[in-house]
Amino acid sequence: MNLLFLGDSITDCHHCFTADNLGNGYVKMIQNSCAGTHHVVNGGIDGATFPGIFRKWTLQYQTCLFDIVSVLGGINEVGAIMDSHMTDSQIDRLLTQSFQSLHDLLAALITTHVPLILLPEPFLFPYPAYLNAWMPYLQKVRYMIRDTAFSVCREFHDCVCQEFALLSTPETTETAMLQCRSRIVLIPLQPSLNAYAEAHGFSSVTSDGIHPTQQGHELICECLRSCLRPNLRPE
C-alpha cells in the first residue's frame, strides 16, 4: 500500500535532509508504525499554502499511484493574513485562490481514483498569547476546508465526505469504502492536542504555538493512525 502525505512545514519536518526522506515528525512515526509493510512518501513543503501543495502534487505525484493521500494545510494562509496589512479584498482574493487550489487538488485525487483522502484540520495554540488573534481566521480556514470538501463530493456523486469523529466502527468505515469510489475524511486534530496541553502544558505539544513538539507529532500520528487502522492491513 502506498501512502502520500502532502502539507506544509508540519508535514515537511526537514524530510529532504534525512536519509530516508521522511523527516523527523508524524510522517516518519507513521512509517515506523507500519513496520515497513507500506510505502510512505513525505511530500511536505516548508511554508506552503494550498496552491503550493497543489503544485507539488501536479509536478511530482499526479502520475503516481497512491492508496491513501493526506493533505494537512491551511495554517500558512492564516499566517499570511495576520503577518501582513492586507485589505479585506486582498484577504478574500488570497482565500479564494487557496481554496480553489484545494478544490482542484481534491478533484484531481478523486479523478485519479485515490481510494482514501484524509484532510487533517489545521491547529493552533495561544502560546505565545499573541496567537489568540489568529484564532478567528483559523476557524474561517477550517470552515472553508470543510465547505470545499463537501463541494467536491457534491460534484462527484459517488464520493462521500465525513468527519472521522462521526465514524462509529471499523465496519462502517469499510462498508462506506466499498460503496464509493473515493472517500474524503476530515480529521480534527485540535481536540486531541488541546486535551494533552491542558494536562501537561502548551509547551508539551508546541514549541511556538504553530509547530508541534515530538509529543505533538506523536499525537498527530495517533489521530491519523486511528483513521488509517481499518485500511492498513499487512501486505
Side-chain angles (χ1 to χ4, degrees):
M1 184 171 286
N2 296 317
L3 293 79
L4 171 64
F5 293 88
L6 297 169
D8 48 38
S9 59
I10 295 167
T11 300
D12 182 340
C13 273
H14 309 292
H15 75 276
C16 292
F17 303 99
T18 57
D20 56 11
N21 209 36
L22 291 175
N24 51 24
Y26 76 90
V27 177
K28 173 67 172 179
M29 295 172 184
I30 288 174
Q31 168 66 26
N32 289 341
S33 72
C34 293
T37 59
H38 302 288
H39 179 55
V40 176
V41 177
N42 187 328
I45 314 173
D46 190 11
T49 55
F50 284 122
I53 294 170
F54 182 42
R55 280 194 297 273
K56 177 80 168 182
W57 161 263
T58 302
L59 295 173
Q60 196 164 343
Y61 300 119
Q62 68 174 340
T63 60
C64 305
L65 297 176
F66 291 101
D67 302 287
I68 298 171
V69 176
S70 172
V71 184
L72 172 54
I75 194 61
N76 285 321
E77 275 80 357
V78 180
I81 292 168
M82 298 304 299
D83 288 340
S84 66
H85 299 285
M86 290 183 179
T87 64
D88 288 346
S89 62
Q90 288 173 325
I91 291 171
D92 289 343
R93 185 160 57 249
L94 180 150
L95 292 175
T96 298
Q97 291 171 346
S98 282
F99 286 97
Q100 182 62 52
S101 292
L102 178 59
H103 172 281
D104 293 345
L105 174 57
L106 295 177
L109 294 174
I110 290 169
T111 55
T112 52
H113 307 293
V114 175
L116 181 61
I117 303 164
L118 306 181
L119 276 180
E121 295 182 351
F123 53 87
L124 186 65
F125 304 94
Y127 177 87
Y130 80 88
L131 290 174
N132 267 311
W134 291 36
M135 295 298 182
Y137 274 109
L138 175 66
Q139 192 58 38
K140 183 179 180 70
V141 164
R142 285 183 186 142
Y143 285 142
M144 294 185 78
I145 290 172
R146 289 170 173 249
D147 288 347
T148 302
F150 281 101
S151 174
V152 170
C153 287
R154 286 193 294 270
E155 294 176 32
F156 296 86
H157 301 297
D158 55 353
C159 178
V160 175
C161 180
Q162 285 185 265
E163 182 177 336
F164 179 65
L166 300 178
L167 303 179
S168 58
T169 66
E171 289 73 22
T172 58
T173 303
E174 293 179 20
T175 300
M177 283 288 291
L178 293 172
Q179 291 174 344
C180 61
R181 183 178 68 199
S182 183
R183 148 169 264 175
I184 300 175
V185 182
L186 295 155
I187 306 176
L189 297 176
Q190 193 83 62
S192 293
L193 293 166
N194 281 351
Y196 195 92
E198 288 171 6
H200 303 279
F202 286 118
S203 62
S204 66
V205 293
T206 182
S207 57
D208 58 6
I210 298 171
H211 296 92
T213 60
Q214 283 299 105
Q215 180 59 50
H217 277 286
E218 288 179 11
L219 293 166
I220 295 169
C221 173
E222 184 52 40
C223 287
L224 294 181
R225 283 182 60 214
S226 296
C227 183
L228 289 170
R229 197 168 284 120
N231 304 289
L232 291 183
R233 295 193 176 92
E235 295 187 335

Coordinates of all heavy atoms in Angstrom, one line a residue, residues 88-150:
D88 N -9.4 43.9 3.1 CA -10.4 42.8 3.0 C -10.5 42.2 1.7 O -10.6 41.0 1.6 CB -11.7 43.4 3.4 CG -11.8 43.7 4.9 OD1 -10.9 43.3 5.7 OD2 -12.8 44.4 5.3
S89 N -10.4 43.0 0.6 CA -10.5 42.4 -0.7 C -9.2 41.5 -1.0 O -9.3 40.5 -1.7 CB -10.6 43.5 -1.8 OG -9.5 44.4 -1.8
Q90 N -8.1 41.9 -0.5 CA -6.9 41.1 -0.7 C -7.0 39.8 0.0 O -6.5 38.7 -0.4 CB -5.6 41.9 -0.3 CG -5.3 43.0 -1.2 CD -4.1 43.9 -0.6 OE1 -4.0 44.1 0.6 NE2 -3.3 44.4 -1.5
I91 N -7.5 39.9 1.2 CA -7.7 38.6 2.0 C -8.7 37.7 1.3 O -8.5 36.5 1.2 CB -8.3 39.0 3.4 CG1 -7.2 39.7 4.2 CG2 -8.7 37.7 4.2 CD1 -7.6 40.2 5.6
D92 N -9.8 38.3 0.8 CA -10.8 37.5 0.1 C -10.1 36.8 -1.2 O -10.4 35.6 -1.5 CB -12.0 38.3 -0.4 CG -12.8 38.7 0.8 OD1 -12.7 38.1 1.9 OD2 -13.6 39.7 0.7
R93 N -9.3 37.5 -1.8 CA -8.6 37.0 -3.0 C -7.7 35.9 -2.7 O -7.6 34.8 -3.3 CB -7.9 38.1 -3.8 CG -7.3 37.7 -5.1 CD -7.0 38.9 -6.0 NE -6.1 39.9 -5.4 CZ -6.5 41.1 -5.0 NH1 -7.8 41.4 -5.2 NH2 -5.7 41.9 -4.5
L94 N -6.9 36.1 -1.6 CA -6.0 35.0 -1.1 C -6.7 33.8 -0.8 O -6.3 32.7 -1.2 CB -5.2 35.5 0.1 CG -4.2 34.6 0.7 CD1 -3.0 35.3 1.3 CD2 -4.8 33.7 1.8
L95 N -7.8 33.9 0.0 CA -8.6 32.7 0.4 C -9.3 32.1 -0.8 O -9.3 30.8 -0.9 CB -9.6 33.1 1.5 CG -9.0 33.5 2.8 CD1 -10.1 34.0 3.8 CD2 -8.2 32.4 3.4
T96 N -9.8 32.9 -1.7 CA -10.4 32.3 -2.9 C -9.4 31.5 -3.7 O -9.7 30.4 -4.2 CB -11.0 33.4 -3.8 OG1 -12.0 34.1 -3.0 CG2 -11.6 32.8 -5.1
Q97 N -8.2 32.0 -3.9 CA -7.2 31.3 -4.7 C -6.8 30.0 -4.0 O -6.6 29.0 -4.6 CB -6.0 32.2 -4.9 CG -6.3 33.4 -5.9 CD -5.1 34.4 -6.0 OE1 -4.2 34.4 -5.1 NE2 -5.2 35.2 -7.0
S98 N -6.6 30.1 -2.7 CA -6.2 29.0 -1.9 C -7.2 27.8 -2.0 O -6.8 26.7 -2.2 CB -5.9 29.3 -0.4 OG -4.7 30.0 -0.3
F99 N -8.4 28.2 -1.8 CA -9.4 27.1 -1.7 C -9.9 26.6 -3.1 O -10.4 25.5 -3.2 CB -10.6 27.5 -0.8 CG -10.1 27.5 0.6 CD1 -9.7 28.6 1.3 CD2 -10.0 26.3 1.3 CE1 -9.2 28.5 2.6 CE2 -9.5 26.2 2.6 CZ -9.1 27.3 3.2
Q100 N -9.6 27.4 -4.1 CA -9.7 26.9 -5.5 C -8.7 25.8 -5.7 O -8.9 24.8 -6.3 CB -9.6 28.0 -6.5 CG -9.8 27.5 -8.0 CD -11.2 26.9 -8.2 OE1 -12.2 27.6 -7.9 NE2 -11.3 25.7 -8.7
S101 N -7.5 26.1 -5.2 CA -6.4 25.1 -5.3 C -6.7 23.8 -4.6 O -6.4 22.7 -5.1 CB -5.0 25.7 -4.8 OG -4.6 26.7 -5.7
L102 N -7.3 23.9 -3.4 CA -7.6 22.8 -2.6 C -8.7 22.0 -3.3 O -8.7 20.8 -3.4 CB -8.1 23.1 -1.2 CG -8.6 22.0 -0.3 CD1 -7.5 20.9 -0.1 CD2 -9.1 22.5 1.0
H103 N -9.7 22.7 -3.9 CA -10.8 22.1 -4.7 C -10.2 21.3 -5.8 O -10.5 20.1 -6.1 CB -11.7 23.2 -5.2 CG -12.7 22.7 -6.2 ND1 -12.4 22.4 -7.5 CD2 -14.0 22.3 -6.1 CE1 -13.5 22.0 -8.2 NE2 -14.5 21.9 -7.3
D104 N -9.2 21.9 -6.6 CA -8.7 21.3 -7.7 C -7.8 20.1 -7.3 O -7.8 19.1 -8.0 CB -7.8 22.3 -8.5 CG -8.6 23.4 -9.1 OD1 -9.8 23.3 -9.2 OD2 -8.0 24.4 -9.5
L105 N -7.1 20.2 -6.2 CA -6.4 19.0 -5.7 C -7.3 17.9 -5.4 O -7.0 16.7 -5.8 CB -5.5 19.4 -4.5 CG -4.8 18.3 -3.8 CD1 -3.8 17.6 -4.7 CD2 -4.0 18.8 -2.6
L106 N -8.3 18.1 -4.6 CA -9.3 17.0 -4.2 C -9.9 16.4 -5.5 O -10.0 15.2 -5.6 CB -10.3 17.6 -3.3 CG -9.8 18.0 -1.9 CD1 -11.0 18.6 -1.1 CD2 -9.1 16.9 -1.1
A107 N -10.3 17.3 -6.4 CA -10.9 16.8 -7.6 C -9.9 15.9 -8.4 O -10.2 14.8 -9.0 CB -11.4 17.9 -8.5
A108 N -8.6 16.3 -8.4 CA -7.6 15.5 -9.1 C -7.4 14.2 -8.4 O -7.2 13.1 -9.1 CB -6.3 16.3 -9.1
L109 N -7.4 14.2 -7.1 CA -7.2 12.9 -6.4 C -8.4 12.0 -6.6 O -8.2 10.7 -6.8 CB -7.1 13.2 -4.8 CG -5.9 14.0 -4.4 CD1 -5.9 14.3 -2.9 CD2 -4.6 13.2 -4.7
I110 N -9.6 12.5 -6.7 CA -10.7 11.7 -7.0 C -10.7 11.1 -8.4 O -10.9 9.9 -8.6 CB -12.0 12.5 -6.7 CG1 -12.2 12.7 -5.2 CG2 -13.3 11.7 -7.3 CD1 -13.3 13.7 -4.9
T111 N -10.4 12.0 -9.4 CA -10.4 11.5 -10.8 C -9.2 10.6 -11.1 O -9.3 9.8 -12.0 CB -10.3 12.7 -11.7 OG1 -9.2 13.5 -11.4 CG2 -11.6 13.5 -11.6
T112 N -8.2 10.6 -10.2 CA -7.1 9.6 -10.4 C -7.4 8.4 -9.5 O -6.5 7.5 -9.3 CB -5.7 10.2 -10.1 OG1 -5.8 10.8 -8.8 CG2 -5.4 11.2 -11.1
H113 N -8.6 8.3 -8.9 CA -9.1 7.1 -8.2 C -8.2 6.8 -7.0 O -8.0 5.6 -6.7 CB -9.1 5.9 -9.2 CG -9.8 6.1 -10.4 ND1 -11.2 6.3 -10.5 CD2 -9.4 6.2 -11.7 CE1 -11.6 6.5 -11.7 NE2 -10.5 6.5 -12.5
V114 N -7.8 7.8 -6.2 CA -7.3 7.5 -4.9 C -8.4 7.1 -4.0 O -9.4 7.8 -3.8 CB -6.6 8.8 -4.3 CG1 -6.1 8.6 -2.9 CG2 -5.5 9.3 -5.3
P115 N -8.2 5.9 -3.4 CA -9.4 5.3 -2.6 C -9.7 6.1 -1.3 O -10.9 6.1 -0.9 CB -8.9 3.9 -2.3 CG -7.8 3.6 -3.3 CD -7.2 4.9 -3.6
L116 N -8.7 6.7 -0.7 CA -9.0 7.3 0.6 C -8.2 8.6 0.7 O -6.9 8.6 0.5 CB -8.6 6.4 1.7 CG -8.8 7.0 3.2 CD1 -10.3 7.2 3.4 CD2 -8.3 6.0 4.2
I117 N -8.9 9.7 0.9 CA -8.3 11.1 1.0 C -8.5 11.6 2.4 O -9.6 11.7 2.9 CB -8.9 12.0 0.0 CG1 -8.7 11.5 -1.4 CG2 -8.2 13.4 0.1 CD1 -9.6 12.2 -2.4
L118 N -7.4 11.9 3.2 CA -7.5 12.4 4.5 C -7.3 13.9 4.5 O -6.4 14.4 3.9 CB -6.5 11.7 5.4 CG -6.5 10.2 5.4 CD1 -5.4 9.7 6.4 CD2 -7.8 9.6 5.8
L119 N -8.1 14.6 5.3 CA -7.9 16.1 5.5 C -7.8 16.4 6.9 O -8.8 16.8 7.6 CB -9.1 16.8 4.9 CG -9.1 17.1 3.4 CD1 -10.4 17.9 3.0 CD2 -7.9 17.9 3.0
P120 N -6.6 16.2 7.5 CA -6.4 16.6 8.9 C -6.6 18.2 9.0 O -6.1 18.9 8.1 CB -5.0 16.2 9.2 CG -4.6 15.3 8.1 CD -5.4 15.6 6.9
E121 N -7.3 18.6 10.0 CA -7.6 20.1 10.0 C -6.4 20.8 10.7 O -5.8 20.3 11.7 CB -8.9 20.3 10.8 CG -10.1 19.8 10.0 CD -11.4 20.0 10.7 OE1 -11.4 20.5 11.9 OE2 -12.4 19.8 10.1
P122 N -6.1 22.0 10.3 CA -5.0 22.8 10.9 C -5.4 23.2 12.3 O -6.5 23.2 12.7 CB -5.0 24.1 10.0 CG -6.3 24.2 9.4 CD -6.8 22.8 9.2
F123 N -4.3 23.4 13.1 CA -4.5 23.7 14.5 C -3.6 24.8 14.9 O -2.6 25.2 14.2 CB -4.1 22.4 15.3 CG -2.8 21.8 15.0 CD1 -1.6 22.3 15.6 CD2 -2.6 20.9 14.0 CE1 -0.4 21.8 15.3 CE2 -1.4 20.3 13.6 CZ -0.3 20.8 14.3
L124 N -3.8 25.3 16.1 CA -3.0 26.5 16.6 C -3.2 26.6 18.1 O -4.3 26.1 18.6 CB -3.6 27.8 15.9 CG -2.9 29.1 16.2 CD1 -1.5 29.1 15.6 CD2 -3.7 30.2 15.5
F125 N -2.3 27.2 18.8 CA -2.3 27.3 20.3 C -2.1 28.8 20.7 O -1.3 29.4 20.0 CB -1.3 26.4 20.9 CG -1.4 25.0 20.6 CD1 -0.7 24.5 19.5 CD2 -2.3 24.1 21.2 CE1 -0.8 23.1 19.2 CE2 -2.4 22.8 20.9 CZ -1.6 22.3 19.8
P126 N -2.7 29.2 21.7 CA -2.5 30.6 22.2 C -1.2 30.6 23.1 O -1.2 31.1 24.2 CB -3.7 30.9 23.1 CG -4.1 29.5 23.6 CD -3.8 28.5 22.5
Y127 N -0.1 30.2 22.5 CA 1.2 30.1 23.2 C 2.3 30.3 22.2 O 2.6 29.5 21.4 CB 1.3 28.7 23.8 CG 2.6 28.4 24.4 CD1 2.8 28.7 25.8 CD2 3.7 27.8 23.8 CE1 4.0 28.4 26.4 CE2 4.9 27.5 24.4 CZ 5.0 27.8 25.7 OH 6.2 27.6 26.4
P128 N 2.8 31.6 22.0 CA 2.5 32.7 22.9 C 1.2 33.4 22.7 O 0.5 33.1 21.7 CB 3.6 33.7 22.5 CG 4.0 33.3 21.1 CD 3.8 31.8 21.0
A129 N 0.8 34.3 23.6 CA -0.6 34.8 23.7 C -1.0 35.6 22.4 O -2.2 35.6 22.1 CB -0.7 35.6 24.9
Y130 N -0.1 36.1 21.7 CA -0.5 36.9 20.5 C -1.2 36.1 19.5 O -1.9 36.6 18.7 CB 0.7 37.7 19.9 CG 1.6 36.8 19.0 CD1 1.3 36.7 17.6 CD2 2.7 36.1 19.5 CE1 2.1 35.9 16.8 CE2 3.5 35.3 18.7 CZ 3.2 35.2 17.3 OH 3.9 34.4 16.5
L131 N -1.0 34.8 19.5 CA -1.7 33.9 18.5 C -3.2 33.8 18.8 O -3.9 33.3 17.9 CB -1.0 32.5 18.6 CG 0.4 32.5 18.0 CD1 1.0 31.1 18.2 CD2 0.4 32.9 16.5
N132 N -3.6 34.3 19.9 CA -5.1 34.4 20.1 C -5.8 35.1 19.0 O -6.9 34.8 18.6 CB -5.4 35.0 21.5 CG -5.6 34.0 22.6 OD1 -6.3 33.1 22.5 ND2 -4.9 34.3 23.7
A133 N -5.1 36.1 18.5 CA -5.7 37.0 17.4 C -5.8 36.2 16.1 O -6.5 36.6 15.2 CB -4.8 38.2 17.2
W134 N -5.1 35.1 16.0 CA -5.1 34.3 14.8 C -6.4 33.4 14.8 O -6.7 32.9 13.7 CB -3.9 33.4 14.7 CG -2.6 34.1 14.4 CD1 -2.2 35.4 14.8 CD2 -1.5 33.7 13.6 NE1 -1.0 35.7 14.4 CE2 -0.5 34.6 13.6 CE3 -1.3 32.5 12.9 CZ2 0.7 34.5 13.0 CZ3 -0.1 32.3 12.2 CH2 0.9 33.3 12.2
M135 N -6.9 33.1 15.9 CA -8.0 32.1 16.0 C -9.2 32.3 15.1 O -9.7 31.4 14.5 CB -8.4 31.9 17.5 CG -7.3 31.4 18.4 SD -6.7 29.8 18.0 CE -5.6 29.5 19.3
P136 N -9.7 33.5 15.0 CA -10.9 33.7 14.1 C -10.6 33.3 12.7 O -11.5 32.7 12.0 CB -11.2 35.2 14.3 CG -10.7 35.6 15.6 CD -9.4 34.8 15.8
Y137 N -9.4 33.7 12.2 CA -9.1 33.3 10.8 C -8.8 31.8 10.7 O -9.1 31.2 9.7 CB -7.9 34.1 10.3 CG -8.4 35.4 9.7 CD1 -8.1 36.6 10.3 CD2 -9.1 35.4 8.5 CE1 -8.6 37.8 9.8 CE2 -9.6 36.6 8.0 CZ -9.3 37.8 8.6 OH -9.7 39.0 8.1
L138 N -8.3 31.2 11.8 CA -8.1 29.7 11.7 C -9.4 29.0 11.6 O -9.6 28.1 10.8 CB -7.4 29.3 13.0 CG -7.3 27.7 13.2 CD1 -6.3 27.2 12.1 CD2 -6.7 27.4 14.5
Q139 N -10.4 29.5 12.4 CA -11.7 28.9 12.3 C -12.4 29.1 10.9 O -13.0 28.2 10.4 CB -12.7 29.5 13.4 CG -14.0 28.7 13.6 CD -13.7 27.2 13.9 OE1 -12.8 26.9 14.7 NE2 -14.5 26.4 13.4
K140 N -12.1 30.3 10.3 CA -12.6 30.5 9.0 C -12.0 29.6 8.0 O -12.7 29.0 7.1 CB -12.3 32.0 8.6 CG -12.8 32.4 7.2 CD -12.5 33.9 6.9 CE -13.0 34.3 5.6 NZ -14.5 34.5 5.6
V141 N -10.7 29.3 8.1 CA -10.0 28.4 7.2 C -10.5 27.0 7.4 O -10.7 26.3 6.4 CB -8.5 28.5 7.5 CG1 -7.8 27.3 6.8 CG2 -7.9 29.8 6.9
R142 N -10.8 26.6 8.6 CA -11.3 25.3 8.9 C -12.7 25.1 8.2 O -13.0 24.1 7.5 CB -11.5 25.0 10.4 CG -10.2 24.7 11.1 CD -10.5 24.4 12.5 NE -9.4 24.2 13.4 CZ -9.2 24.6 14.6 NH1 -10.2 25.3 15.2 NH2 -8.1 24.4 15.3
Y143 N -13.5 26.1 8.3 CA -14.9 26.1 7.7 C -14.7 26.0 6.1 O -15.4 25.2 5.5 CB -15.7 27.3 8.0 CG -16.3 27.3 9.4 CD1 -16.3 28.5 10.2 CD2 -16.7 26.1 10.0 CE1 -16.8 28.5 11.5 CE2 -17.3 26.1 11.3 CZ -17.3 27.3 12.0 OH -17.8 27.3 13.3
M144 N -13.7 26.7 5.6 CA -13.5 26.7 4.2 C -13.0 25.3 3.7 O -13.4 24.9 2.6 CB -12.6 27.8 3.8 CG -13.2 29.2 4.0 SD -12.2 30.6 3.4 CE -12.6 30.5 1.6
I145 N -12.2 24.7 4.5 CA -11.7 23.4 4.1 C -12.9 22.4 4.1 O -13.0 21.6 3.1 CB -10.6 22.9 5.2 CG1 -9.3 23.7 5.0 CG2 -10.4 21.4 5.0 CD1 -8.3 23.4 6.1
R146 N -13.7 22.5 5.1 CA -14.9 21.6 5.1 C -15.9 21.9 4.0 O -16.3 20.9 3.3 CB -15.6 21.7 6.4 CG -14.9 21.1 7.6 CD -15.5 21.5 9.0 NE -14.8 20.7 10.0 CZ -15.3 19.8 10.7 NH1 -16.6 19.4 10.5 NH2 -14.7 19.1 11.6
D147 N -16.1 23.2 3.7 CA -17.0 23.5 2.6 C -16.5 23.1 1.3 O -17.2 22.6 0.4 CB -17.2 25.0 2.6 CG -18.1 25.6 3.7 OD1 -18.7 24.7 4.4 OD2 -18.1 26.8 3.9
T148 N -15.1 23.2 1.1 CA -14.5 22.7 -0.1 C -14.6 21.2 -0.3 O -15.0 20.7 -1.4 CB -13.0 23.2 -0.2 OG1 -12.9 24.6 0.0 CG2 -12.4 22.7 -1.5
A149 N -14.4 20.5 0.8 CA -14.5 19.0 0.7 C -15.9 18.6 0.3 O -16.1 17.7 -0.5 CB -14.1 18.4 2.0
F150 N -16.9 19.2 1.0 CA -18.3 18.8 0.7 C -18.7 19.2 -0.7 O -19.5 18.6 -1.4 CB -19.2 19.4 1.8 CG -19.2 18.6 3.0 CD1 -18.5 19.0 4.1 CD2 -19.9 17.4 3.1 CE1 -18.5 18.2 5.3 CE2 -19.9 16.6 4.3 CZ -19.2 17.0 5.4

